[in-house]
Amino acid sequence: MAELDNNQSGDTRRDFLKKSSLFTALSLTPLTVLKAAEGKVDERFAELFEKIPLNLKVNNKPYVLKVEPRATLLDLLREQLHLTGTKKGCDHGQCGACTVHVDGKRVNSCLSLAVMNEGKSITTIEGLAKGDELHPMQAAFIKHDGFQCGYCTPGQIMSAVACVREGHANSKEEIREYMSGNICRCGAYPNIVDAIQEVKEKGTAI
C-alpha cells in the first residue's frame, strides 16, 4: 500500500511539473505567436517564433537576413546560404567538422547561435581560395594527402589556418595539441601535421 502511495505521489509530482512547464511557456509566449497558433496546433511550436533580423559578412560578402532565434550559425551557413563546405558532424562541438572563422578566430559553428554573430565577419572553407588559386593550407593538405574520405577536411583546414595564425605550430607536438579538437576518423593525423608544419616553415602569409 505504501508503495502504491509513493507511485501515486510520484505521478502527481510529474503531472504538476509538466503542467507548470506548459503554463510557464505559454505565459512567456508573445500574444502574436499565440494568435498565429490558432488553427495550427499540429505545427511544431518552434516554427511559430518570429524571425530576427541579422546583418553579417560571410566570405567578404554582406548579408541582411532573417533567422530563427534557435538557429545555429552552422544551420544558417548550410541551409540558408547554401555554403555546404562546412560540415555537420557531431552537432555537439566535439568533432570540429563545422569549424569556421569568426572575426579571424576559429569557432565551432554548431555551438554558436546565428543571432550572436550580428555585425561579425565569417569565413568558411569556400572563402579561403582566391578564385582558382588554392589557399596555401589547402595546397599543403593535397600535397601531403592530409585527407581520405574528406568529410572532416574543411574543418581541419580552417583549424589548421587558425593554428598557424595563433602561433601554435612551432612543433609537431604543439600542432597535435592545438588541433586535438578536430577528429579525423580515417586517421590522417600524421599527414595533417606535416601539411601544417610545411606551411608554418615556409612562412607563407595566410
Side-chain angles (χ1 to χ4, degrees):
M1 186 65 178
E3 183 180 351
L4 180 60
D5 291 341
N6 287 335
N7 289 337
Q8 289 177 339
S9 177
D11 290 340
T12 301
R13 283 195 294 271
R14 280 191 290 272
D15 290 341
F16 173 75
L17 289 173
K18 288 179 181 178
K19 291 176 181 178
S20 296
S21 299
L22 176 61
F23 290 143
T24 301
L26 290 174
S27 67
L28 294 175
T29 304
L31 182 59
T32 53
V33 174
L34 292 176
K35 286 183 178 179
E38 291 178 4
K40 300 179 181 180
V41 291
D42 58 328
E43 294 182 0
R44 293 188 307 170
F45 186 71
E47 294 175 349
L48 300 176
F49 283 105
E50 295 180 357
K51 292 186 175 181
I52 295 175
L54 176 65
N55 297 274
L56 75 171
K57 186 181 291 185
V58 181
N59 298 330
N60 292 318
K61 181 179 178 180
Y63 288 90
V64 180
L65 306 164
K66 286 190 176 182
V67 299
E68 291 184 4
R70 68 189 179 99
T72 64
L73 178 58
L74 173 60
D75 289 337
L76 170 69
L77 293 172
R78 288 181 59 82
E79 298 174 14
Q80 209 163 331
L81 300 184
H82 307 294
L83 295 171
T84 55
T86 304
K87 303 303 182 186
K88 179 176 283 195
C90 66
D91 215 21
H92 289 84
Q94 297 176 347
C95 72
C98 68
T99 303
V100 299
H101 296 168
V102 178
D103 287 343
K105 297 181 180 179
R106 52 177 152 175
V107 168
N108 288 328
S109 58
C110 72
L111 296 182
S112 176
L113 290 174
V115 294
M116 295 172 62
N117 294 279
E118 170 68 29
K120 295 183 179 180
S121 179
I122 316 296
T123 303
T124 71
I125 190 68
E126 291 91 343
L128 284 186
K130 296 180 180 178
D132 294 331
E133 180 185 351
L134 292 177
H135 186 279
M137 192 64 75
Q138 291 173 309
F141 265 64
I142 294 173
K143 176 182 176 181
H144 290 276
D145 292 326
F147 55 92
Q148 289 184 38
C149 79
Y151 194 85
C152 74
T153 306
Q156 295 278 2
I157 290 175
M158 298 305 290
S159 280
V161 171
C163 185
V164 175
R165 284 179 179 171
E166 293 164 2
H168 297 310
N170 300 304
S171 67
K172 288 189 175 183
E173 291 72 21
E174 189 176 35
I175 292 171
R176 292 190 189 100
E177 173 68 22
Y178 284 89
M179 289 292 294
S180 61
N182 289 77
I183 296 174
C184 174
R185 290 175 173 81
C186 300
Y189 296 115
N191 299 348
I192 291 171
V193 171
D194 289 343
I196 297 171
Q197 194 166 41
E198 178 180 292
V199 173
K200 162 64 176 170
E201 290 175 353
K202 284 184 176 180
T204 309
I206 60 173

